[in-house]
Amino acid sequence: MKRKTIAASTLAALGLLGSAHAAGVSDDVVKIGVLTDLSGVYSDLAGNGSVIAARLAAAEMGGKVLGKPVEVVAADHQNKPDVAANLAREWFDQGKVDMITDFPTTSTALAVMEIARQKSKVTMPSAGVATSILGEKCSPLNAQWTTNTFALGAGTARALVQDGKKSWYFITADYTFGHSLEQDATEIIKASGGQVVGTSRHPFPGNDFSSFLLKAQASKADVIALANAGNDTVNAVKQANEFGITKKQIVAPLLTYISDVHSMGLAKAQGMYLTEAFYWDYDDASRAWAKKFYEQAKRMPTAAQAGVYSATLSYLKAIEAAGTDDAPAVMTKLREMTINDAVIRNGKLRADGALVHDMLLLQVKTPAQSKAPWDYYNVKAVLKGEDVFPKPSAACPLNKL
């Protein structure tokens, strides 16, 4: 009895328990906020495509849940935590927003998660992928929906080390996400029998990677790992090709979206291994949804954009199942559900906010192998979620209950 009382007190303090859950929809509207990068380095992988994805999810529900309208609003956080925090406060306090999703850059997600917890609102990062979200900053009202840096590194790093590529050099974006991706991938490389021989950290965003690439080339490492994303990844790969590095060393971007490969071109990206949560041409369900997205966006969706769709759809279904948009009640339903949709397969939401699900190990096709626009990947393996997602961290208090 004493243990139950302590556990209930802890849950209440963390925001998992509330008073009696009010049935129905507060404010007579369910409002989804897409907080994204509409104009900067990550606008290609998220941006307006994420807004389209959220609206497709709302439309799939008939534009209503529990008889009340679903609305989607969007704003540009400019990849700045203070801007993201101010927008979130305004949305929560005045805009009747119930859930915020997307968050390119983990720092913006972390800035909003605490505000959302205090105001009993839900956050569902799709593009904010650092594992710090699941650590000491974890929130009972947060779900890191699409992937994280550990899962991204696990698929690619293990595959290359097992292929004999033992020595690694990192070129890393010098902020939270880049550090997390480097740290998680390093853990996997060492556990698989490889070694890291050097690291260079570049400012975010970066344009000129020549000095970092030359250091990596001089290291004679088997693999030059890019712990960055978006335009930083695209520019680094293009410059590596210009220096002829890819003829002797493997360049391995650890977070690569299909929009990045599209910008690089298959001639430069061919042969690269990458790990993704979603590929539009994986099966009939992914192709059918991607066709709807393409009709509006005129391009195929990235995994981050697809994750916004899945997060929004699952959130609305959880409201329907709970009979209320009360945040703790909705999160309870999300944790009870198995997520299977056009994007996420065999997904289960853990207490710490990690959505554990199957991932894809992909290899970029050669120009000759590609039969149509956006036909960019060969699926090399389906990676089971329990094999690639990190174990629950002791740093997250939710894992101690």
Side-chain angles (χ1 to χ4, degrees), residues 309-323:
Y309 158 81
S310 176
T312 303
L313 183 66
S314 298
Y315 173 75
L316 296 174
K317 287 182 176 180
I319 290 176
E320 192 172 62

Side-chain angles (χ1 to χ4, degrees), residues 45 101-103 105-106 109 124-134 142-156 177 180-181 184 188 229 254-257 274-278 302-308 310-311 343-345 347-350 352-361 383-385 388-390:
L45 65 87
T101 186
D102 205 12
F103 299 105
T105 70
T106 297
M124 302 181 76
S126 178
V129 297
T131 48
S132 54
I133 287 176
L134 309 174
N142 180 70
Q144 190 178 48
W145 202 254
T146 310
T147 190
N148 58 54
T149 49
F150 190 95
L152 290 166
T156 306
F177 153 72
S180 179
L181 189 51
D184 290 335
I188 294 155
L254 297 178
L255 174 55
T256 310
Y257 291 101
L274 55 129
T275 304
E276 274 280 36
F278 171 83
T302 67
Q305 293 161 345
V308 168
S310 176
V343 177
I344 301 296
R345 311 300 164 87
K348 293 295 292 185
L349 183 62
R350 289 193 324 214
D352 60 1
L355 182 69
V356 179
H357 61 90
D358 294 349
M359 298 281 288
L360 301 174
L361 179 65
L383 308 173
K384 296 300 180 185
V388 293
F389 276 77

Side-chain angles (χ1 to χ4, degrees), residues 42 104-107 110 127-132 148-150 152-153 170-187 199-204 225-230 232-233 254-255:
Y42 295 147
T105 70
T106 297
S107 55
L110 290 170
V129 297
T131 48
S132 54
N148 58 54
T149 49
F150 190 95
L152 290 166
F170 277 89
I171 297 177
T172 301
D174 194 10
Y175 76 108
T176 305
F177 153 72
H179 299 170
S180 179
L181 189 51
E182 178 190 323
Q183 180 180 335
D184 290 335
T186 296
E187 179 182 337
T199 298
S200 292
R201 291 185 170 174
H202 68 81
F204 167 75
L226 303 180
N228 52 20
D232 287 350
T233 299
L254 297 178
L255 174 55

